[in-house]
């Protein structure tokens, strides 16, 4: 961290911006008698001089009005303010709906595949489809994505196929990651989607660094990082937001506040007003949005991207949503939340259903078309799973590749030891499954 701080200061000095401390001292020297009613200390926000008070009045969090959430479409699919309805043609809206439905069907079958022992792990996005597809549609495909682990919808919007997703989950020879990652840890250099890593929040400071690089080399692009309310409690989240604000990095922090960090509800995670209140504290332009409203997410992300590029500064969007599914296949959410709560959200406010009502009102979608669409994607997932099961696993030698151009002697020795071990215990290893 000390090295990062020195690097940050060095980069700041290159921008030739006036130093806030110098500004504060110079301003203080200009103060005359009778004007000593405003703070002039260098620790305050640059350019602002708060007034002094004569009584020790503490700021109370409960006295502030809760941060409002931006919404375009009601739960019944009707538009609140026609001026806020995005200018999207039928083809684009249908594409949004198709991707939300495709994602739902893929999640359903791959989750079942894990329960059957066909893959080792899975995480669904049930209930959060609008956050993913709405934001993805508002980005430039060249913008760099640093995701957490529930954002495969963004990758699919950019062209990643169901078959590619299934290959990754099965870890076969067609997996771009060569079977080295857990299932759902997707990545695509071609689609500007940085490969997922399991540790929480590591992607946030990485995104900040990438955004700073884009600022210096490609000012027409930005970075976006997705994270959950639980990841926002990690120290990396603080470092990322603070660096992004002070270095003025063109990026979007998009928080999926779905109510739970695995088994920990938000009521046990923080006492403040969600994650949006932190953005203000870091000096970041911030908006809270109804995360189950795909049009609100689309508009918010589009505006956030515009602000990030025009102002060359970070923006925070907090999407309020609900995680309908379990955290992962390693989790049983019935142990910490009532099944009635989970079911009520499925019945009351499904993002897919909300968009379906909007489209039905416009004559863009019927129940029969929806059924055919679900059947089509279900069959595509089943075909992809069948194809993936029939493919071999990558050769075991791949474990030692993609790190060094020339493997050091110690790795060569370990590879040789592995081959000897497998040869001595070939009955214990299903080598026929590997290429």
């Amino acid at each position: 961290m000390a090295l990062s701080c020195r690097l940050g200061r060095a980069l700041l000095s290159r921008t030739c911006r006036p130093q806030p401390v110098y500004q504060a001292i110079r301003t203080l020297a200009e103060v005359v008698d009778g004007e000593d009613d405003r703070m002039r200390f260098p620790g305050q926000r640059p350019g602002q001089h708060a007034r002094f008070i004569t009584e020790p009045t503490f700021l109370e969090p409960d006295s502030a009005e809760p941060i409002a959430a931006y919404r375009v479409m009601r739960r019944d699919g009707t538009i609140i303010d026609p001026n806020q309805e995005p200018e999207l043609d039928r083809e684009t809206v249908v594409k949004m709906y198709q991707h939300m439905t495709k994602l739902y069907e893929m999640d359903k079958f791959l989750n079942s595949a894990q329960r059957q022992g066909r893959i080792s792990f899975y995480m669904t996005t049930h209930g959060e489809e609008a956050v993913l597809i709405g934001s993805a549609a508002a980005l430039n495909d060249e913008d760099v994505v640093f995701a957490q682990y529930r954002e495969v919808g963004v990758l699919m919007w950019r062209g990643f196929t169901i078959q590619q997703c299934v290959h990754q989950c099965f870890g076969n020879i067609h997996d771009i990651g060569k079977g080295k990652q857990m299932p759902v840890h997707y990545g695509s250099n071609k689609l500007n989607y940085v490969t997922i890593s399991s540790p929480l929040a590591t992607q946030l400071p990485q995104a900040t660094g990438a955004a700073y690089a884009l600022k210096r080399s490609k000012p027409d692009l930005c970075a976006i990082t997705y994270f959950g309310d639980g990841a926002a409690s990690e120290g990396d989240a603080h470092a990322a937001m603070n660096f992004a604000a002070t270095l003025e990095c063109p990026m979007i922090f998009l928080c999926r506040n779905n109510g739970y960090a695995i088994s920990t509800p938000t009521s046990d995670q923080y006492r403040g007003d969600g994650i949006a209140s932190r953005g203000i504290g870091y000096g970041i332009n911030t908006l809270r949005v109804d995360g189950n409203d795909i049009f609100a997410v689309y508009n918010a992300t589009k505006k956030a991207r515009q602000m990030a590029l025009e102002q060359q500064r970070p923006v925070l969007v907090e999407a309020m949503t609900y995680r309908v599914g379990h955290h992962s296949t390693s989790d049983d959410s019935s142990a910490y939340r009532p099944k009635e709560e989970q079911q009520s959200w499925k019945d009351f406010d499904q993002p897919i259903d909300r968009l379906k009502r909007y489209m039905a009102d416009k004559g863009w979608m019927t129940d029969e078309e929806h059924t055919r669409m679900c059947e089509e994607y279900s069959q595509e997932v089943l075909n992809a799973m069948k194809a993936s099961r029939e493919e071999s696993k990558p050769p075991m030698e791949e474990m030692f590749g993609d790190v060094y151009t020339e493997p050091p002697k110690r790795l060569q020795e370990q590879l040789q030891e592995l081959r000897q071990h497998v040869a001595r215990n070939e009955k214990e290893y299903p080598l026929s499954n590997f290429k």
Side-chain angles (χ1 to χ4, degrees), residues 124-191:
T124 68
T125 60
H126 294 329
E128 302 178 50
E129 295 90 351
V131 178
L132 311 181
I133 304 304
S135 61
L139 297 171
N140 184 316
D141 285 349
E142 297 297 314
D143 293 333
V144 185
V145 177
F146 290 80
Q148 189 159 312
Y149 41 54
R150 218 181 293 276
E151 287 84 22
V152 63
V154 178
L155 189 56
M156 295 174 76
W157 179 267
R158 293 188 172 192
F160 210 72
T161 66
I162 287 178
Q163 186 67 75
Q164 287 177 298
C165 291
V166 176
H167 280 326
Q168 195 282 329
C169 289
F170 277 79
N172 60 34
I173 56 173
H174 297 297
D175 170 22
I176 294 175
K178 302 180 181 179
K180 298 180 181 182
Q181 286 274 20
M182 291 175 61
V184 308
H185 287 51
Y186 307 100
S188 173
N189 183 52
K190 178 182 177 181
L191 299 176

Side-chain angles (χ1 to χ4, degrees), residues 38-79:
R38 294 279 175 174
M39 291 201 307
R40 308 283 173 168
F41 299 106
Q44 64 187 328
R45 187 176 179 184
Q48 294 191 354
H49 303 292
R51 64 185 178 87
F52 287 107
I53 57 177
T54 57
E55 295 184 5
T57 305
F58 286 83
L59 299 177
E60 299 180 1
D62 293 338
S63 65
E65 186 73 18
I67 298 173
Y70 170 64
R71 172 189 268 186
V72 174
M73 182 168 49
R74 301 182 183 90
R75 293 188 179 94
D76 62 3
T78 58
I79 300 298

Side-chain angles (χ1 to χ4, degrees), residues 175-235:
D175 170 22
I176 294 175
K178 302 180 181 179
K180 298 180 181 182
Q181 286 274 20
M182 291 175 61
V184 308
H185 287 51
Y186 307 100
S188 173
N189 183 52
K190 178 182 177 181
L191 299 176
N192 302 298
Y193 190 96
V194 178
T195 302
I196 306 303
S197 58
S198 290
L200 274 183
T202 55
Q203 76 276 13
L204 273 74
Q206 295 167 4
T208 298
Y212 192 85
L214 290 172
K215 177 177 184 173
R216 298 172 66 86
S217 61
K218 298 180 180 180
D220 57 334
L221 298 176
C222 72
I224 181 171
T225 182
Y226 293 83
F227 59 104
D229 46 275
S233 297
E234 294 285 337

Side-chain angles (χ1 to χ4, degrees), residues 93-110:
V93 176
V94 170
K95 181 182 177 182
M96 286 177 161
Y97 188 79
Q98 289 173 332
H99 276 76
M100 293 172 76
T101 305
K102 181 190 303 185
L103 181 58
Y104 181 88
E105 294 298 320
M106 186 180 77
D107 278 349
K108 183 173 64 177
F109 282 97
L110 286 177

Side-chain angles (χ1 to χ4, degrees), residues 128 131 146-151 200-201 203-204 225-234 237 241 253-262 266 269-270 275 278 316-319 321 327:
E128 302 178 50
V131 178
F146 290 80
Q148 189 159 312
Y149 41 54
R150 218 181 293 276
E151 287 84 22
L200 274 183
Q203 76 276 13
L204 273 74
T225 182
Y226 293 83
F227 59 104
D229 46 275
S233 297
E234 294 285 337
M241 292 187 194
F253 290 94
L254 203 159
C255 176
R256 295 177 292 94
N257 192 334
N258 62 23
Y260 290 92
I262 308 182
T266 51
Q269 291 183 60
Y270 53 74
I275 311 304
R278 303 181 195 179
L316 170 64
V317 176
E318 181 184 25
T321 183
H327 172 74

Side-chain angles (χ1 to χ4, degrees), residues 383-397:
N383 292 341
M385 290 171 61
K386 183 177 184 297
S388 290
R389 287 199 306 270
E390 295 173 352
E391 296 292 347
S392 301
K393 302 291 185 183
M396 63 182 182
E397 288 80 4

